[in-house]
Amino acid sequence: MPVAIECNGLGYAVLMATPEDLIDLAYGFALTERLIDGASDIADAEVHEVAGGSIVRLTLDRRVSDRIADRVRHRTTDSSCGLCGIESIEQALRPLPELRDRWRGSDAAVFRALDALGERQPLNIATRAVHAATACSIEGDIRLVREDVGRHNAFDKLIGAMLRDRLDWGGGFALLSSRCSFELVEKAVLSGCPMLATISAPTHLALERARAAGLALRTLARSDALLRPAE
């Protein structure tokens, strides 16, 4: 369904999203859009049901409110692309910070998380049509899961839930049931995630952005094999 995100009364984006955990979605989206630096930058968040969809209204703190005008979008986005309405290549490919926390875990942790992933996806068990984004400990224990029809939305929901619960990555990693796109790499870096694991292949731009930021990647992850393309 369409989910509109408003920031301080301005319409910012319309996402096609699975209509659950929408506050989490808005928090994560605001962080990965670089509108906020943390949960404390959001003073209030409310979901309003409207005909045909939902509106999530965010009230951002005054110290970050100037960022909205620079990034307000005037076109609808969807679950497969976060770039519609971006006015320049410079805006689409802004520099990423270098990660302070680097991946120190083993590939065995990825295999452990993969083994447990299926039973932690209730919506996908019912539909076989949605993605999952999971926060995993450095040992591979799944700490938190969010699901959505769109892989970007699922990751934003996960990041937003972690923000709201004051959870950090703790040296762990994100496991996503999708390919490794550059947008997912950017979300991982901006949330401080040391390593991103995906079950499908990376794009060339994803590899470039991950290397530049120091993000470890594990791709084409299966129960007994994976690739380490960013090393």
Side-chain angles (χ1 to χ4, degrees):
M1 66 185 295
V3 177
I5 295 180
E6 292 183 0
C7 299
N8 291 3
L10 295 175
Y12 187 83
V14 179
L15 311 175
M16 296 303 297
T18 301
E20 61 181 27
D21 300 315
L22 295 184
I23 296 293
D24 292 342
L25 173 62
Y27 267 71
F29 183 80
L31 182 80
T32 59
E33 284 287 296
R34 310 191 201 199
L35 295 177
I36 64 172
D37 299 317
S40 62
D41 291 333
I42 296 180
D44 190 38
E46 297 180 341
V47 177
H48 298 268
E49 304 299 330
V50 296
S54 296
I55 300 174
V56 185
R57 293 193 169 106
L58 299 179
T59 302
L60 304 189
D61 189 90
R62 184 177 303 173
R63 63 180 174 268
V64 296
S65 60
D66 289 346
R67 302 180 190 181
I68 303 169
D70 295 333
R71 295 281 293 170
V72 166
R73 298 179 176 189
H74 301 287
R75 291 175 57 190
T76 300
T77 67
D78 62 29
S79 64
S80 64
C81 175
L83 298 178
C84 301
I86 294 295
E87 295 179 353
S88 70
I89 291 175
E90 288 79 9
Q91 282 184 313
L93 297 176
R94 290 177 291 171
L96 289 172
E98 187 172 344
L99 282 169
R100 290 178 293 179
D101 295 331
R102 299 302 178 96
W103 173 240
R104 299 287 184 259
S106 69
D107 292 345
V110 180
F111 299 139
R112 182 176 184 180
L114 278 169
D115 287 342
L117 179 59
E119 64 186 24
R120 299 292 298 272
Q121 301 178 75
L123 188 55
N124 192 57
I125 289 172
T127 65
R128 299 297 178 186
V130 297
H131 284 293
T134 69
C136 306
S137 72
I138 193 170
E139 294 85 11
D141 296 312
I142 294 178
R143 303 165 62 200
L144 190 64
V145 181
R146 287 295 183 267
E147 293 182 279
D148 196 276
V149 68
R151 62 188 186 276
H152 304 120
N153 296 338
F155 203 11
D156 277 337
K157 285 180 178 181
L158 178 71
I159 292 167
M162 294 176 70
L163 278 179
R164 296 178 68 203
D165 291 341
R166 304 298 196 270
L167 297 176
D168 60 30
W169 289 100
F173 64 98
L175 172 62
L176 275 60
S177 63
S178 68
R179 68 179 172 86
C180 183
S181 66
F182 89 91
E183 299 98 331
L184 297 178
V185 164
E186 294 197 349
K187 292 177 189 297
V189 173
L190 292 170
S191 70
C193 180
M195 193 269 278
L196 174 63
T198 65
I199 65 171
S200 192
T203 66
H204 181 74
L205 186 55
L207 296 178
E208 288 186 339
R209 300 287 272 177
R211 290 188 183 112
L215 173 69
L217 295 180
R218 299 294 183 267
T219 62
L220 285 172
R222 300 294 184 267
S223 61
D224 59 352
L226 52 74
L227 296 180
R228 306 184 189 94
E231 295 183 349

